[in-house]
Amino acid sequence: MTDSILSKAATMEIPINSNGDSRTAEDDGLEQDLQQVMVSGPNLNETSIVSGGYGGAAEGIIPTSSIKDIRSKSRGITPSHSATSRIANQPGHYPAPSMHHSNSNPSMMSEEATKGVAVEKFDSMKKWSINTYKCTKQMFSERFGRGSKTVDMELEAQIDVLRETKMKYERILRLARELTNHFYNMVQTQQALGDTFADLSQKSPELQDEFGYNAETQRLLCKNGETLLGAINFFVSSINTLVNKTMEDTLMTIKMYENARLEFDAYRADLEELSVGPRDAAAMVRIEIAQQQYQIHKDKYERLHSDVSIKLKFLEENKVKVMHKQLLLFHNAVSAYFAGNQQQLEQTLRQFNVKLKPPGSDKPSWLEEQ
């Protein structure tokens, strides 16, 4: 096969230029490209095509990357990495900035933030689970009589008295509201009855005086009833504030105190159990941690114990002061109303700074109804 190629090459016509040189312009360009490839050096990552036999000269080796770059340029495709690197090494060329690093930083920061939140939630759940387990264990131990309980007899007695007092005051509040509703209906009935008497006095000449007297009496009773309703409403509002705000706030503090007492006893029992166990290195670490937790819950228990004692004292003083004023108001207002003493009734309201609402003030305005 090699002999046939050589024989064909021998019979080919070789054109000669004016200088007697057989090379054409294409050969000169090819020689310049080969010289540039030889200067830049061979690339081991590129595949070579040998234009000849096994014993061909070095000038016959043409890198395929050069051919691919030329084809890519003719098709509008971006050059390969080797061609790009040669362009980047030329003077006056500035490489484009890389966007990979700037895009990876926010994603890495968001991943770290997400991991931090997850770890924090896991630690919180772990602490809550351990605390709930210890408190539940302590509660069942107390109920079955196998665990000890920290008790302040004096404070517990005051708490029991407060709960009983709150129940009785809630009953007073419920009955006072029922009285207000019934009395309001009676006042409305008196007003309607007075209007009916007044209308009949105009239409019945023979009974005009009798209907007129009764109409005036019902109107007077209705006016005094509205004044008494103002006093009763003030009484109900004050009792409601005392029961559902002041007492309830103290009972919420008492509930926090009881929870702190249960936690304190739970960690105290845990420390006592560890103290009677072995004293190796791991056990000493657990005892030290239990001692720290015990001290934390002890401080919390003592702080809430002091808060409950102070609130119970102030609540008792406030209760006596409020009820003294409200009971005196209720007694004087009811006595003056049923005695028919309008002046005494109005004076009672002025004495206790009770302001009556004008008729129809409870009704919403036309704008609120829209």
Side-chain angles (χ1 to χ4, degrees):
M1 181 178 181
T2 304
D3 296 337
S4 62
I5 293 174
L6 292 176
S7 62
K8 289 180 182 181
T11 59
M12 290 175 63
E13 294 182 357
I14 302 174
I16 301 174
N17 56 12
S18 60
N19 295 326
D21 192 358
S22 62
R23 293 180 299 177
T24 62
E26 294 180 357
D27 296 334
D28 294 337
L30 181 59
E31 183 178 359
Q32 292 178 2
D33 291 339
L34 292 175
Q35 290 178 358
Q36 183 178 359
V37 171
M38 293 299 294
V39 171
S40 61
N43 191 350
L44 297 178
N45 295 326
E46 297 177 350
T47 307
S48 300
I49 300 176
V50 181
S51 60
Y54 292 101
E59 288 81 3
I61 301 175
I62 303 175
T64 58
S65 60
S66 300
I67 301 174
K68 291 180 181 179
D69 291 344
I70 296 171
R71 291 178 180 176
S72 299
K73 288 180 181 179
S74 63
R75 296 177 183 176
I77 304 175
T78 306
S80 61
H81 177 72
S82 59
T84 306
S85 61
R86 288 196 298 271
I87 295 173
N89 292 330
Q90 295 178 1
H93 175 76
Y94 298 95
S98 176
M99 301 299 294
H100 178 71
H101 182 70
S102 60
N103 292 333
S104 62
N105 284 337
S107 61
M108 292 177 61
M109 293 177 62
S110 62
E111 290 179 359
E112 292 178 357
T114 305
K115 290 180 181 179
V117 172
V119 171
E120 184 178 356
K121 288 184 178 180
F122 177 77
D123 292 340
S124 178
M125 180 64 67
K126 181 180 178 181
K127 292 179 181 179
W128 177 83
S129 302
I130 294 174
N131 186 72
T132 303
Y133 167 75
K134 292 181 181 295
C135 293
T136 305
K137 180 181 177 182
Q138 176 65 23
M139 181 177 61
F140 279 105
S141 298
E142 293 176 1
R143 287 190 178 183
F144 290 105
R146 292 181 296 181
S148 59
K149 178 181 177 180
T150 303
V151 180
D152 187 343
M153 300 301 297
E154 182 179 358
L155 186 62
E156 293 293 334
Q158 294 178 5
I159 293 174
D160 292 339
V161 170
L162 173 60
R163 288 182 172 139
E164 184 178 359
T165 303
K166 185 174 182 291
M167 293 176 60
K168 293 180 178 179
Y169 276 53
E170 286 176 345
R171 188 168 184 268
I172 292 175
L173 180 61
R174 183 175 65 255
L175 294 175
R177 284 174 172 169
E178 292 179 1
L179 176 63
T180 303
N181 294 331
H182 293 320
F183 198 77
Y184 174 79
N185 293 330
M186 187 186 74
V187 170
Q188 295 298 316
T189 304
Q190 288 176 343
Q191 184 177 1
L193 187 60
D195 295 339
T196 304
F197 285 156
D199 182 62
L200 289 173
S201 67
Q202 300 294 330
K203 297 180 180 180
S204 302
E206 67 278 3
L207 296 174
Q208 183 177 5
D209 294 338
E210 288 78 2
F211 278 125
Y213 295 153
N214 282 278
E216 189 65 25
T217 302
Q218 294 300 321
R219 287 175 180 174
L220 181 61
L221 290 174
C222 180
K223 181 179 180 181
N224 292 341
E226 290 177 352
T227 305
L228 180 61
L229 274 175
I232 297 176
N233 286 329
F234 186 76
F235 174 81
V236 170
S237 176
S238 300
I239 299 298
N240 180 64
T241 303
L242 178 65
V243 173
N244 294 323
K245 291 186 178 180
T246 309
M247 290 185 177
E248 188 65 27
D249 178 72
T250 305
L251 288 174
M252 287 295 296
T253 307
I254 291 173
K255 186 177 180 180
M256 294 172 60
Y257 157 75
E258 291 176 344
N259 291 335
R261 196 277 311 163
L262 183 63
E263 291 178 353
F264 166 68
D265 285 337
Y267 282 92
R268 176 181 55 81
D270 187 33
L271 179 61
E272 292 175 354
E273 182 179 355
L274 290 174
S275 299
V276 298
R279 293 304 184 96
D280 54 355
M284 293 302 297
V285 173
R286 290 195 296 269
I287 290 174
E288 183 179 358
I289 295 174
Q291 181 68 36
Q292 294 176 358
Q293 294 295 324
Y294 165 78
Q295 189 63 38
I296 291 173
H297 289 85
K298 180 181 179 181
D299 296 339
K300 180 180 178 181
Y301 165 74
E302 292 177 350
R303 183 180 68 255
L304 288 172
H305 182 279
S306 176
D307 293 345
V308 169
S309 300
I310 294 173
K311 283 195 173 185
L312 286 174
K313 180 181 178 180
F314 286 148
L315 176 62
E316 184 66 24
E317 295 177 356
N318 187 33
K319 182 193 71 175
V320 172
K321 182 179 178 180
V322 169
M323 292 307 299
H324 175 76
K325 177 181 178 180
Q326 296 303 320
L327 291 174
L328 187 60
L329 166 66
F330 189 82
H331 174 267
N332 292 344
V334 172
S335 300
Y337 171 80
F338 285 102
N341 192 342
Q342 182 181 0
Q343 295 181 354
Q344 182 65 29
L345 181 60
E346 293 177 353
Q347 182 181 357
T348 300
L349 267 67
R350 288 194 299 269
Q351 178 184 356
F352 292 95
N353 298 322
V354 179
K355 296 181 180 180
L356 295 178
K357 295 181 179 180
S361 60
D362 295 336
K363 184 178 179 181
S365 64
W366 66 271
L367 184 62
E368 295 174 345
E369 291 177 352
Q370 299 300 324

